[in-house]
Amino acid sequence: MEYVSRVPRPPLDGLIDDLYYLEGASPYARLTLPPSPSALLIVNLGAPFRIRAGTGTETGAYADGCVITMPTRAVEFGYPPRTRSVGVHFKPWGPAPFLPMPAAELCDRPVTLEQVWGRAAVAELRERLAAASGPHAMLTLLEQELMRRLRETPGLALVRHTSDVIAASGGTATIGDLSVAAGVSSTHLARRFKELIGVTPKRLARTHRFTATVFAIDPAGPSTGAASPAAPATSTRPTSATSSAPSPGSHPPGTSRSGGGSCANTPATC
């Protein structure tokens, strides 16, 4: 499986960990992705893939692509036998400037790309991507599309700064202290987080603590019955990489590299 990844240029790098291209035979039919402080956009160029979010919900087919804001429940991601797509690993607040609705409306509810950008616009983008000369040209086209759609988003600076502090503390920062430091009420802070990330600051902090706990597990140590995590997160960002690994680079769909509060190499159960 071919995977090409690169960090976008400013100002997108403040919203996005990396843009990626993925093509090849699927090494597994299904992934279970745990909750993580990240978000995802995929433009699908191959056969539909299937997603089920949470327990008791039906699996849906996504032909044109999907948007998944920061999940609070496990997401089951199903590949077709062969897959081809380009995508975006967002920071938790990253999708907000590109969404026509508050992120809270999409929490644990993946939607098709058509539902976000409209059928005609998505069809035209997919045609241009499919006609591009190669992975790097495709990533450039996707970056240009994101730059074109980027809009001013009220409260983004507040949410981004507070999220960075939460991430730096490993999720242990006191939310009351953060609201005081930001000069806003805890109610206002929670409302902005719900609008731009889809969850409250407390939920984001809890997810960071969960991620830190998982990464603290030593896969070489005594067996505890838990699934072994992937390599610990680092602050290294990719500039360009091609991989034949069985997952999209070092992180499967729905996960992202570290930096600015995102989660790297989130474990996934095949």
Side-chain angles (χ1 to χ4, degrees):
M1 179 173 283
E2 182 182 12
Y3 179 82
V4 179
S5 167
R6 81 178 189 211
V7 175
R9 68 184 187 274
L12 292 180
D13 61 343
L15 304 168
I16 293 169
D17 281 322
D18 74 313
L19 310 173
Y20 73 88
Y21 166 84
L22 176 69
E23 181 177 13
S26 304
Y28 29 65
R30 187 175 64 211
L31 289 173
T32 299
L33 308 173
S36 62
S38 60
L40 177 70
L41 180 149
I42 302 176
V43 184
N44 188 35
L45 303 173
F49 45 78
R50 305 185 68 83
I51 300 175
R52 183 167 69 91
T55 59
T57 59
E58 294 184 359
T59 301
Y62 294 75
D64 65 345
C66 70
V67 174
I68 302 176
T69 57
M70 187 188 127
T72 65
R73 304 175 182 176
V75 176
E76 187 178 279
F77 190 98
Y79 281 111
R82 290 194 64 84
T83 189
R84 186 171 188 245
S85 63
V86 293
V88 183
H89 290 117
F90 283 110
K91 302 176 189 297
W93 58 88
F98 309 100
L99 297 176
M101 71 285 285
E105 295 183 13
L106 305 184
C107 185
D108 295 323
R109 188 172 69 88
V111 293
T112 66
L113 203 54
E114 177 184 321
Q115 291 174 283
V116 176
W117 287 348
R119 178 176 299 180
V122 173
E124 190 268 342
L125 175 61
R126 293 176 72 207
E127 288 177 2
R128 287 193 292 126
L129 288 168
S133 58
H136 291 285
M138 295 170 76
L139 295 182
T140 297
L141 280 173
L142 180 59
E143 184 175 9
Q144 291 171 346
E145 179 68 16
L146 293 169
M147 285 293 295
R148 186 179 71 82
R149 291 182 173 274
L150 183 63
R151 60 180 176 82
E152 291 292 330
T153 306
L156 184 62
L158 169 65
V159 170
R160 176 179 174 179
H161 172 73
T162 307
S163 298
D164 282 344
V165 175
I166 292 172
S169 73
T172 62
T174 303
I175 305 305
D177 291 345
L178 293 176
S179 63
V180 171
V184 299
S185 69
S186 58
T187 301
H188 177 82
L189 188 64
R191 183 169 63 248
R192 285 302 193 192
F193 265 68
K194 291 280 284 185
E195 290 172 351
L196 303 187
I197 296 181
V199 301
T200 63
K202 288 184 178 180
R203 171 67 77 168
L204 178 63
R206 187 184 307 169
T207 303
H208 275 290
R209 292 197 300 271
F210 167 78
T211 302
T213 299
V214 171
F215 286 148
I217 299 172
D218 182 4
S223 175
T224 61
S228 296
T234 70
S235 59
T236 302
R237 287 185 172 185
T239 54
S240 178
T242 302
S243 172
S244 58
S247 63
S250 61
H251 45 294
T255 68
S256 63
R257 294 184 185 272
S258 66
S262 291
C263 174
N265 305 330
T266 303
T269 302
C270 297

